Amino acid sequence: MFSARHLSRFRFHTRIRFGVLVCGLVVVAPDASAQTPSLRVTIKLRTGGALDGLVVEHSDAGLVIAHDGTPYAFAWQALEPVSAIAARRELMALSLGSDKANPFDAHDYYDLGSFALQIDASNQAIVFFRAAQVRDPALAGDIDVALATYRQRSKGARKSAAAQARGNTATEAQNTGVAADPDATSFASLLSAEPTTPLVREQVETIYRTFGETVRNVMGKKVTLIETEHFLIWTDWHQRHRDMLANVSESMYRSLCRQFGVDERENIFLAKCPVFCWKSKRQFVKFARHFDGHDGTNAIGYTRSIERNGHVHVVLLRQGSTRIDLDRFAATLVHEGTHAFLHRLHAPRLIPHWINEGLAEMMSERVLGDRSVAGEEASLLARVHVRYDWPIADLLNSTGPIGVEQYGLACSVVSYLQQLGGDRLAKMIRALKSGLSLADALAQNFDGLTLERLESDWRDWIKKTDPILNAPKPEDARLPWHD
Ligand SMILES: [Zn+2]
């Protein structure tokens, strides 16, 4: 275990399961001035935790809730299915503006059924489809198509997992015969100054493998090592879920190299990057406390970096085994893996947290596409900030850790910089790593851009590109707080 003095030199980037943090933004609830009805909901998250608040935005992608003056965005997939369906149902009823006990017609039930399929609640979908078909038998054909498409998608997801498993070039090895050092309970005590030569890198890799043996001693003999070109992944997962680990890690590595102009053959890590993936909260918390002196209770993943010796490792928790659970895990892997990569890139200097988190979310969307909800949550948050003119200067000027509810906003602003030029963004990160302030690094690489102008340019960009802000009503007009 570490003393407080040690801890102060370690950095943790923790992806919080759910957290209520203050960001200094006062949300003016849209119904306060407009006197229009709006909805207060309590939602439950798949990762645990609940939140209540006023719905200030919703779309097919998700919803934004104002809680204690702070907006929180959630993709529908992030919510417990029962909770998601209840909220969606109430929002639909509200938008229909009817006093009837049951305002839904056949098409509304059909929409609810399709929505349930979107969040993998197929039993609930069938209930809604039945209600739709009773009211309008002509919908039978559409319902068949929706169910067939859903089954095809589920089958496709299973197939591609199997194909990835077959094409998986990663080797799996059980570490045997390596003498474990009983005192070697932390990477901090294992490594001294940062090694630079290939020989020393090899020694570090040996130290890592020995450490893996210690992990097996503490965490159980079921822990297996999955080795890829750039990662040493220790996990207690069952075989059928393990194959994704190597594939997602290496796709992420390639993507990060392209983003930051690093040669893929180069190894950015000290040796291979150690990653620890646990299938239960109990194991995750045990590892976090035992090896990192970190209380993992409220987290689903974290990256730990030690500036003195250049070491970095990633620890992750998988909650559940459904398609949505695995996708969420993959997104956390890419998020934390991006932090690990960024820590090693150029120099270990810390960059402003909002940029770090924004990049991590952007990479998650880039690597995983539809499997990640980072892009959807970023769009929702960006939209409410632009729609209601909520300022983002506090975020842009912040240097310390940001709340998990601000990740989407950070992602949106970083994505704005990315579309101005990925090479410019990469150069800006290099400048930050060399010790330049954000204001200087930004100005130097984006034609004298100031933080103030960044906010207004970003706002204009969202106004121009957000499909819902630009949509000439129908669907949009159903929102109760619109004229
Ligand atoms: Zn993070």
Side-chain angles (χ1 to χ4, degrees), residues 180-470:
D181 174 0
D183 293 320
T185 53
S186 87
F187 284 115
S189 63
L190 288 171
L191 306 171
S192 49
E194 168 148 15
T196 45
T197 66
L199 179 69
V200 184
R201 276 181 184 249
E202 257 174 51
Q203 286 167 354
V204 172
E205 204 172 309
T206 307
I207 290 172
Y208 281 175
R209 287 174 197 277
T210 309
F211 180 76
E213 198 55 30
T214 310
V215 171
R216 278 163 54 79
N217 287 337
V218 173
M219 305 295 291
K221 295 295 177 194
K222 278 193 181 149
V223 175
T224 297
L225 172 64
I226 300 170
E227 185 170 351
T228 73
E229 209 180 329
H230 302 96
F231 299 90
L232 293 169
I233 307 165
W234 279 276
T235 182
D236 62 354
W237 288 18
H238 189 276
Q239 168 77 52
R240 68 175 171 277
H241 294 129
R242 285 205 293 257
D243 302 307
M244 74 179 281
L245 294 173
N247 291 302
V248 174
S249 303
E250 287 299 328
S251 320
M252 166 184 76
Y253 192 85
R254 283 194 298 276
S255 212
L256 283 164
C257 285
R258 276 197 297 277
Q259 171 69 29
F260 293 105
V262 174
D263 189 327
E264 277 178 36
R265 286 162 299 183
E266 197 182 311
N267 191 354
I268 197 100
F269 299 112
L270 206 49
K272 294 183 180 188
C273 178
V275 181
F276 303 91
C277 300
W278 307 109
K279 67 176 178 197
S280 75
K281 187 86 197 173
R282 191 178 54 79
Q283 288 279 85
F284 175 79
V285 170
K286 183 178 174 182
F287 182 94
R289 290 189 179 157
H290 190 95
F291 293 105
D292 287 331
H294 177 40
D295 174 29
T297 319
N298 226 12
I300 52 173
Y302 64 90
T303 305
R304 183 173 173 209
S305 46
I306 303 172
E307 198 162 338
R308 174 172 56 82
N309 55 29
H311 167 82
V312 62
H313 70 256
V314 173
V315 186
L316 301 162
L317 165 66
R318 189 193 89 220
Q319 290 176 297
S321 306
T322 65
R323 177 186 66 91
I324 289 177
D325 294 328
L326 292 169
D327 286 353
R328 186 180 54 247
F329 172 86
T332 310
L333 196 167
V334 176
H335 180 106
E336 296 301 332
T338 300
H339 286 325
F341 188 99
L342 271 169
H343 170 71
R344 296 286 310 163
L345 188 67
H346 309 311
R349 193 187 302 272
L350 199 61
I351 62 174
H353 285 261
W354 73 263
I355 297 202
N356 209 341
E357 300 301 350
L359 280 168
E361 289 293 277
M362 186 183 83
M363 292 311 296
S364 153
E365 185 67 26
R366 169 101 52 87
V367 174
L368 299 166
D370 286 348
R371 295 177 62 196
S372 167
V373 297
E376 284 77 2
E377 294 185 345
S379 298
L380 281 161
L381 265 190
R383 189 178 308 140
V384 288
H385 278 80
V386 168
R387 205 197 279 281
Y388 302 116
D389 260 331
W390 292 335
I392 62 163
D394 280 359
L395 176 75
L396 302 188
N397 288 296
S398 69
T399 49
I402 63 168
V404 69
E405 76 285 350
Q406 293 177 294
Y407 288 8
L409 202 52
C411 174
S412 179
V413 180
V414 169
S415 302
Y416 169 67
L417 292 175
Q418 170 74 14
Q419 60 83 44
L420 289 178
D423 52 332
R424 292 178 174 207
L425 181 58
K427 280 186 192 148
M428 185 186 94
I429 300 299
R430 185 187 274 275
L432 289 170
K433 287 281 196 159
S434 75
L436 241 61
S437 69
L438 176 57
D440 289 345
L442 192 65
Q444 196 179 73
N445 293 287
F446 291 93
D447 308 320
L449 188 62
T450 61
L451 282 166
E452 224 176 2
R453 223 188 74 217
L454 171 61
E455 171 161 2
S456 62
D457 288 0
W458 166 80
R459 225 169 261 285
D460 291 344
W461 179 64
I462 296 293
K463 269 182 206 153
K464 229 171 37 208
T465 56
D466 184 291
I468 291 185
L469 288 177
N470 284 296

